[in-house]
Amino acid sequence: MKRFITLSLLAVAGLTMHAQTPTAKTSTVKTLAKPDACFWAALPKVTTVPTGKKTNKTTVVWPSTENNSWHENMGMITNVPTIDNIEDVFPDRWISGEESFSPVIWQLTEENNETVLHCYLRMPADVVENFWLCSDECVILDKESGTIYRSRRTVPDCYGKVFSFKAKKGSMLDFQIVFPKLADGTKEIAIYGVPNWYMRGMNVDLTTQSGHFWEDYRGQEAYDSIPQFHKPHLVSEAKNYDKDKHESWAVYDDAHLIKPVTDGTYAMWCTPEATYLAEACEMNWMREYFSRGGNVMLIDQQGHQYKCKGVLNYPNDKLFWNEGVTGDHFAVVCIFEPIPLELENITIVVPEGEPFAMWGADWSGKVQGLNIKELRQNQKLFQYHPRVVVK
């Protein structure tokens, strides 16, 4: 999801004055909509090509269109617009991040009495080959009237063709698809025919200036970004760790606090490299012991097992102390092997813990079925929430 990771609106004037667009002549730009969340997509493998110079050239072959043989390949194109102020367009979004992911971001505007769809792409390498933007299949549907607005042209000129392009790695490109002007009063639309931006019937609400990706498609194709959790403070390290000697356990405080949630609440982030499963933990005392990880595993409906690779910021399969305030809720995140995006359900298996010498110790195991879509929707429940204490 999240990052497709996890996904607010600001009218931006003069956008094309910042974009290096050869056809930019308008002095007024009206923002119609932006995505209501920032999804992240995994990037194709980057290949390094020796150039014989001090630096090597990197290239990627776009996987979804590398075999698009039924369209003409026009080769290398130039004059792809770039935008330097993407953070101004999306001031509340985390646009930078892991190199293996790309934010799937866009903006629908009204310019020069036309409707323009800006499709932004962060350059993953020096050269991108076999890319596809759109063709006559790219349309905007007015969902109330049934009127279909067909795309007219693109900037740069790559309409209906497969193509390659080059730019500085990391720069933000601004591919533009131009449509007729939408009728005044248009409220809800759907955008089709832009597969690399997951627009295959994507719904856009012009009354709220927001759009969201087709949920079924997103659930199958879009990865989350790696979750960002507040790192707890290590008060004291484990000393000659012994499960039966509590004074040997590591001690932490300043945990990743969250708003109170129901006991047993989980959230999941799916990335190509790992699956992150956050669990909400409750502090019943000011100093309480916990343990996570170890032989915990996820099992899908075909019986495939996904092992726990570790615990984020805490010991793996060892008891530790957490210090805080009674009533705190905080997150502990286990890191598992990556799961396929097409999975709908997963089972978590927590083996029964080995007995240890501590008052009130009860380390029973559990087997619990989880719905992955619901877990990814729960990501918002695990945002950092500083403690507030009234005395």
Side-chain angles (χ1 to χ4, degrees):
M1 310 38 301
K2 312 195 266 108
R3 30 251 64 348
F4 292 283
I5 288 98
T6 168
L7 319 189
S8 85
L9 300 170
L10 180 68
V12 179
L15 173 65
T16 52
M17 295 175 64
H18 296 280
Q20 299 168 14
T21 308
T23 59
K25 298 179 181 179
T26 184
S27 59
T28 59
V29 175
K30 178 183 178 182
T31 298
L32 299 180
K34 300 177 187 178
D36 58 3
C38 185
F39 298 109
W40 293 75
L43 290 169
K45 182 180 179 181
V46 176
T47 302
T48 300
V49 180
T51 62
K53 301 179 181 179
K54 293 184 178 179
T55 58
N56 294 325
K57 182 178 69 174
T58 56
T59 183
V60 299
V61 178
W62 212 257
S64 59
T65 49
E66 61 181 326
N67 295 316
N68 193 350
S69 57
W70 56 91
H71 289 101
E72 177 189 350
N73 191 324
M74 62 188 300
M76 188 70 65
I77 65 171
T78 59
N79 298 325
V80 180
T82 61
I83 182 168
D84 298 325
N85 65 327
I86 194 67
E87 289 78 12
D88 294 340
V89 180
F90 299 94
D92 56 344
R93 306 292 169 84
W94 182 52
I95 302 300
S96 60
E98 296 293 321
E99 290 189 356
S100 56
F101 295 90
S102 179
V104 183
I105 48 177
W106 52 271
Q107 183 176 207
L108 189 68
T109 65
E110 186 178 298
E111 308 173 27
N112 288 331
N113 207 35
E114 292 180 310
T115 302
V116 181
L117 177 63
H118 295 263
C119 298
Y120 302 113
L121 176 69
R122 188 176 63 196
M123 196 67 179
D126 301 305
V127 177
V128 174
E129 298 179 352
N130 296 88
F131 199 76
W132 171 264
L133 186 59
C134 71
S135 65
D136 288 341
E137 294 177 322
C138 181
V139 303
I140 295 177
L141 168 67
D142 184 333
K143 299 189 70 173
E144 184 175 18
S145 69
T147 303
I148 295 176
Y149 298 83
R150 177 173 287 180
S151 53
R152 291 174 167 174
R153 63 185 186 278
T154 62
V155 180
D157 183 10
C158 56
Y159 196 85
K161 303 283 191 353
V162 178
F163 59 96
S164 302
F165 53 92
K166 56 184 178 181
K168 182 181 178 181
K169 183 179 179 181
S171 59
M172 190 67 71
L173 306 187
D174 178 12
F175 291 99
Q176 300 167 28
I177 306 173
V178 182
F179 301 83
K181 181 180 178 297
L182 301 182
D184 293 339
T186 302
K187 297 179 180 179
E188 187 176 2
I189 62 173
I191 304 177
Y192 296 82
V194 195
N196 284 317
W197 277 263
Y198 303 96
M199 296 180 181
R200 297 183 177 181
M202 185 193 70
N203 294 317
V204 179
D205 187 342
L206 298 183
T207 63
T208 60
Q209 290 191 323
S210 63
H212 56 275
F213 293 94
W214 180 21
E215 289 187 357
D216 292 339
Y217 188 80
R218 176 200 167 197
Q220 295 174 8
E221 301 293 342
Y223 283 106
D224 298 305
S225 59
I226 297 175
Q228 304 298 304
F229 281 84
H230 174 76
K231 186 176 182 179
H233 170 242
L234 177 61
V235 177
S236 60
E237 296 181 353
K239 299 177 181 178
N240 300 317
Y241 174 80
D242 186 332
K243 64 180 178 59
D244 294 315
K245 296 181 180 180
H246 64 82
E247 64 273 11
S248 70
W249 305 344
V251 181
Y252 295 84
D253 65 6
D254 192 23
H256 179 93
L257 300 177
I258 61 176
K259 288 183 179 180
V261 295
T262 304
D263 185 45
T265 297
Y266 289 97
M268 179 177 286
W269 288 256
C270 299
T271 78
E273 290 81 17
T275 302
Y276 297 81
L277 185 68
E279 179 183 358
C281 299
E282 181 181 9
M283 291 288 291
N284 302 111
W285 311 95
M286 294 180 66
R287 195 172 196 255
E288 193 166 353
Y289 61 84
F290 297 86
S291 179
R292 295 295 186 274
N295 293 325
V296 177
M297 67 177 65
L298 301 175
I299 302 179
D300 64 25
Q301 293 174 311
Q302 286 72 43
H304 297 128
Q305 300 178 359
Y306 307 89
K307 298 179 181 179
C308 180
K309 300 163 60 177
V311 181
L312 187 65
N313 300 323
Y314 288 111
N316 182 22
D317 200 27
K318 290 184 178 180
L319 291 155
F320 63 90
W321 291 104
N322 186 62
E323 297 179 340
V325 174
T326 306
D328 277 349
H329 284 68
F330 71 101
V332 176
V333 183
C334 288
I335 307 171
F336 294 88
E337 295 172 329
I339 64 174
L341 281 177
E342 63 268 17
L343 290 183
E344 296 181 357
N345 299 287
I346 200 81
T347 298
I348 182 172
V349 178
V350 181
E352 183 177 356
E354 185 180 357
F356 58 98
M358 174 55 66
W359 174 81
D362 181 9
W363 223 257
S364 57
K366 67 177 178 179
V367 177
Q368 182 178 351
L370 304 170
N371 180 275
I372 294 175
K373 180 179 179 181
E374 292 178 359
L375 294 184
R376 295 177 76 178
Q377 291 175 342
N378 282 349
Q379 293 175 10
K380 59 182 180 294
L381 301 179
F382 283 78
Q383 295 178 356
Y384 183 69
H385 183 69
R387 179 190 302 118
V388 177
V389 178
V390 180
K391 298 182 180 180

